[in-house]
Amino acid sequence: MNRRPKIKDIAAALGVSPATVSRALSDSELVTAETRARIRETAQALNYRPNASARSLRTARSMSVLMVVRDVGNPFYLDILKSVEATARAAGYSVLMGNTENDPEREIEYFDMLRDGHADGMILMTGKLPAQDGSRHKLPPNSPIVVALEMIEGSGFPHVQIDNVAAARAAVEHLIGLGHRRIAHISGPIPEVMSVLRQEGYRQAMNAAGLAVPAGYEPRGDYLLHGGAAACKALFDLREPPTAIFVANDEMAFGAIHQLRGMGRDVPGDVSVVGFDDLYLSEAFYPPLTTVHQPRIDIGRQAMTLLLKMLSGEPAPAEPVVLPATLRIRATSGRPNS
Amino acid sequence: MNRRPKIKDIAAALGVSPATVSRALSDSELVTAETRARIRETAQALNYRPNASARSLRTARSMSVLMVVRDVGNPFYLDILKSVEATARAAGYSVLMGNTENDPEREIEYFDMLRDGHADGMILMTGKLPAQDGSRHKLPPNSPIVVALEMIEGSGFPHVQIDNVAAARAAVEHLIGLGHRRIAHISGPIPEVMSVLRQEGYRQAMNAAGLAVPAGYEPRGDYLLHGGAAACKALFDLREPPTAIFVANDEMAFGAIHQLRGMGRDVPGDVSVVGFDDLYLSEAFYPPLTTVHQPRIDIGRQAMTLLLKMLSGEPAPAEPVVLPATLRIRATSGRPNS
DNA sequence: CTGAAAGCGCTAACAG
DNA sequence: CTGTTAGCGCTTTCAG
């Protein structure tokens, strides 16, 4: 015989029942330590592995979770993925990758994977729920979903996040503290919650310091390299360009610095730049980027830990888990030279 | 009733047999277009989704593939993951993430997921097979596994890769062409195949140009930022430091450039640096990094395409698929100044 | 402590 | 074209 062995084969080989084998393999106390050992041995000898689908069907759990992001290609998610995977693995779960690219179709597909038992739970980092058109695609009430990074207001799902407003405010306060008064903000795609929050932090800091936000000082970006460069260019086409820029993420900050260099402006000599995220390589960048550090490892771990709790029946916390984000002052921010 | 509807429910609601429903939902020609439509409708109305485990058990396919890497945290894999996911999705497959961190235990676990039907196939990018100790963990002969990026000689699995030797040689020839004669190489962890190949390319180019490789000119790195910096430092502790360095990957190249800057050496004024990989951000780096571009999107797509073919029963190609890697000359390489 | 039997939800022969 | 039947491999009552 050359097919994959099943429980029955082990049972037959030992003259016991399949039930006993099943119990022995899941370390049930109901089986003599001795028979358990014997069963283990032959299972090993036969190179046995329990069939995953059969087990899933029977137990109604897939032992997989789904991690859904807007763009798997974004390096921002790396550490989160890593810690989610590690935490999941430690609990016996596998991680399925979901990539929506803002496509509503796909968003629905990933939610469907939850309903059809492909995955037992989901960590959602896209900042949105699929359109709940009538009864279709309706999720069962207590779905094991954790929202991380982004937030979905009124969704009722537990959240793991940072305080974007406070972090942005701290970044701008740092620039103000250095003596800057003409501070611009390159934002994310504005209707999106996260972009709005970071902009809000910028405005709060400016307001609190009695500084004006001149027209054109809040160009909108797209969180991408090129968008940062373009927004930066727009700023320096203004009659009164800023002496400092708070950029809504590191990638755009890189683009902006690139652009400044191209225009012959020194960073931080002529213009200070502060980013947001503290990407891998932001420190190795030249000059090392001053930015807001997001505790990605923690975010991933906490989100997965929360999900695991929900999967084991614990109630989800009503309050969002808010992790500290801290400003990392490096070399792209300095005093204004005028 | 409030439980998830099953095929039986739809069948009952319409007074047809479960078999017909199953057929209709998989668009079988064996069902009248009309009944098919009716079935579709009620399925939708009932918000029906087929149970994934039941289907998997019956069809003996999980519709998932496993992508296994050494370190999910490495940005190098991003584009590959992205294109693997896209290609898989288009064919109806989901992607499970595997992260070994060079842990033999984990390597085995991921292989086991193949055997237990958790995944139907695997894209392996770790450069090694788990130890085949006797009969245990032995894979069935024609396992649907594609090796990408790295190579596992004699494994018999199809490969998707670049020509590391030729690419490295081209990088070094570029430096030679610029007039450099004292060219060093910061290698990867040397017993590993990929590191050896890139070193081999370096040596071939040096040899062909009649250039010596002085003692200490091939410090070993670890593919990490810090390792690149350390190796670079070692080079400049030599009596005759190089005027150019070919570094086995971009991350170490960043580290090396960082180190050079710290030692007050200009890149490329004093020292030229060429990397390998063309990471996301290598172009945005300052100065933009001259490096070997790896066609990651293609690698991912081709690997997944190959895997899909194997999964549908086509024979695997005996010859490795070799994709072109091209040198991207940017701003970290220039003529020597002496 | 162990065995017999049922059934998770689906698909695929096989008959009609 | 449709229905009946069996069974994928496992776990879990329920009896003993």
Side-chain angles (χ1 to χ4, degrees), chain B residues 82-131:
Chain B
K82 194 168 179 170
S83 59
V84 164
E85 205 270 346
T87 312
R89 253 180 53 82
Y93 282 85
S94 309
V95 179
L96 283 159
M97 277 311 306
N99 187 32
T100 67
E101 314 213 330
N102 286 323
D103 177 349
E105 288 260 359
R106 294 212 206 171
E107 289 164 2
I108 290 173
E109 275 178 52
Y110 289 119
F111 273 82
D112 281 346
M113 288 178 67
L114 226 59
R115 301 200 305 121
D116 68 22
H118 226 101
D120 296 336
M122 160 159 144
I123 296 181
L124 189 59
M125 313 209 270
T126 61
K128 42 182 165 166
L129 257 27

Side-chain angles (χ1 to χ4, degrees), chain B residues 205-277:
Chain B
M206 294 296 275
N207 250 321
L211 296 176
V213 176
Y217 260 42
E218 291 179 311
R220 185 176 308 178
D222 53 4
Y223 286 137
L224 301 177
L225 216 50
H226 181 74
C232 180
K233 184 160 182 319
L235 283 172
F236 283 80
D237 283 344
L238 294 176
R239 187 156 310 163
E240 282 226 296
T243 63
I245 315 175
F246 165 55
V247 191
N249 78 339
D250 281 6
E251 184 163 342
M252 288 198 294
F254 295 144
I257 291 171
H258 211 64
Q259 178 68 31
L260 288 167
R261 226 175 241 133
M263 300 185 307
R265 318 235 174 193
D266 185 58
V267 175
D270 300 318
V271 184
S272 287
V273 175
V274 175
F276 203 114
D277 282 349

